[in-house]
Amino acid sequence: KKRDKDNLKEIIGEHPVITFMSESKELNTEYSKNNGDLNIYFGNTRGYNELKGKDLFVIGTPHINPIVYYFHAEYMGIDTNKIDKKMEYQTIQWRGLQFKFQTLNNPDLRNIQLPLIDGELTQAIGRARTIRTEAKVRVFSNFPLEITDIFDFG
């Protein structure tokens, strides 16, 4: 909603945002005025160092095209012609956490999907180089990460 996006843009201010490619330009308007266009978005996060030491926002949950999960499954010897490929919003348990998430019903496919989403979010967060700097990253996602130290369910 436009009202929610305007409120979000106020919170973001001049901080860089990593999000979906379709939203990146709009959410990085203030950041881009002083720093140039930020062309880092979900699916294109690896190898960038320009956000090192900068406070950063990561907004969204990067779902990957399901065909990628099927390719991985076939490579691992899982016959994707014989398994349930339906995706539903459901309560799942993963890495000791229980949460609701839009995920695949088949546990083998889910075990491919979740680490890929985790990896993409972790790559986005890693652009700030928080291990070596004092940067803070605020993540707005419905996917819990083990590296998170504060959870806000509000």
Side-chain angles (χ1 to χ4, degrees):
K1 298 176 188 174
K2 181 173 179 8
R3 182 187 63 205
D4 293 339
K5 197 176 283 185
D6 288 344
N7 185 34
L8 184 59
K9 286 164 72 172
E10 281 183 34
I11 295 168
I12 293 166
E14 295 181 10
H15 292 91
V17 177
I18 297 178
T19 189
F20 305 99
M21 184 172 65
S22 61
E23 300 289 330
S24 184
K25 188 169 186 115
E26 183 177 358
L27 293 178
N28 281 298
T29 302
E30 292 301 315
Y31 176 81
S32 296
K33 286 179 183 176
N34 297 320
N35 301 282
D37 286 342
L38 181 67
N39 290 312
I40 305 172
Y41 46 83
F42 293 143
N44 183 39
T45 56
R46 285 165 170 64
Y48 292 98
N49 207 35
E50 64 194 70
L51 298 177
K52 178 181 179 181
K54 293 184 180 182
D55 292 345
L56 167 68
F57 285 80
V58 176
I59 301 174
T61 303
H63 286 270
I64 299 162
N65 188 320
I67 197 77
V68 173
Y69 310 138
Y70 309 150
F71 283 141
H72 281 271
E74 287 287 338
Y75 182 77
M76 294 167 53
I78 300 168
D79 187 352
T80 58
N81 293 316
K82 297 180 180 177
I83 61 174
D84 180 7
K85 292 190 251 340
K86 189 173 182 183
M87 192 176 280
E88 294 181 309
Y89 189 69
Q90 55 190 295
T91 301
I92 60 170
Q93 290 187 14
W94 190 65
R95 291 189 173 170
L97 298 170
Q98 181 173 317
F99 55 101
K100 289 189 171 278
F101 196 68
Q102 181 77 18
T103 188
L104 295 148
N105 287 339
N106 180 279
D108 291 328
L109 290 176
R110 187 179 315 130
N111 286 332
I112 295 168
Q113 176 196 23
L114 299 178
L116 290 174
I117 292 170
D118 181 86
E120 187 63 30
L121 274 173
T122 302
Q123 275 294 321
I125 293 164
R127 298 311 88 208
R129 307 292 191 223
T130 56
I131 293 175
R132 291 175 265 172
T133 71
E134 293 297 317
K136 291 184 181 176
V137 179
R138 294 180 67 189
V139 180
F140 294 84
S141 174
N142 66 340
F143 190 85
L145 296 166
E146 289 180 312
I147 60 173
T148 302
D149 61 357
I150 298 172
F151 289 91
D152 182 358
F153 297 103

